[in-house]
Amino acid sequence: EALPPYTNPAEWLLEIVTDKSMVAKLAEASLVEQPATDDQSRALRPPKRAPLLQRISLLFGRARRQVLRDGRVHALRLFATAGLGAVLGRRYRGDGNILSVDGCADRVAMLSFAAISTAV
């Protein structure tokens, strides 16, 4: 039985497995079918992987296309990060209290904001 179009394969498989009559048919079919020969099993193996440099080149090409396609989004993220940097730089500027407890808390807060901004 072929997978119907626009169907989630996982859901389709669950429907087949939960149907007891279908499970019996599959069990019968597994007894009748002959095991695959060496030629058939070789045909089912995945192709060999491309060399490392070719894979890296393909990944960089894909990343370049994605960056070019989403140029406006990247420009917006750049401006948002620059604005956040300006606000945080003004708020947590080094004004002589670097070795104090407040200075340490300020640096931790700035690092956490920077990490969150980078992760998003």
Side-chain angles (χ1 to χ4, degrees):
E1 190 173 323
L3 182 67
Y6 307 112
T7 303
N8 183 347
E11 291 176 1
W12 180 74
L13 185 61
L14 282 174
E15 287 177 13
I16 288 177
V17 172
T18 55
D19 184 12
K20 293 189 188 248
S21 63
M22 184 59 77
V23 171
K25 286 180 188 176
L26 289 172
E28 250 179 62
S30 69
L31 296 175
V32 173
E33 291 289 324
Q34 296 296 324
T37 63
D38 281 344
D39 294 336
Q40 290 171 335
S41 64
R42 284 190 193 119
L44 295 175
R45 289 186 186 151
K48 290 186 178 182
R49 295 175 75 175
L52 179 64
L53 289 177
Q54 184 180 4
R55 285 185 282 162
I56 291 173
S57 171
L58 290 171
L59 285 173
F60 276 122
R62 179 180 174 200
R64 182 180 49 82
R65 284 191 307 274
Q66 184 177 359
V67 166
L68 292 175
R69 182 176 58 235
D70 300 335
R72 283 184 276 171
V73 173
H74 291 296
L76 182 63
R77 288 183 67 194
L78 175 68
F79 289 125
T81 303
L84 183 62
V87 168
L88 292 176
R90 183 167 176 89
R91 166 64 178 95
Y92 298 114
R93 66 185 179 277
D95 53 355
N97 65 351
I98 293 174
L99 298 178
S100 69
V101 174
D102 290 336
C104 181
D106 287 348
R107 287 194 307 278
V108 169
M110 185 159 169
L111 286 174
S112 66
F113 282 127
I116 291 170
S117 174
T118 303
V120 174

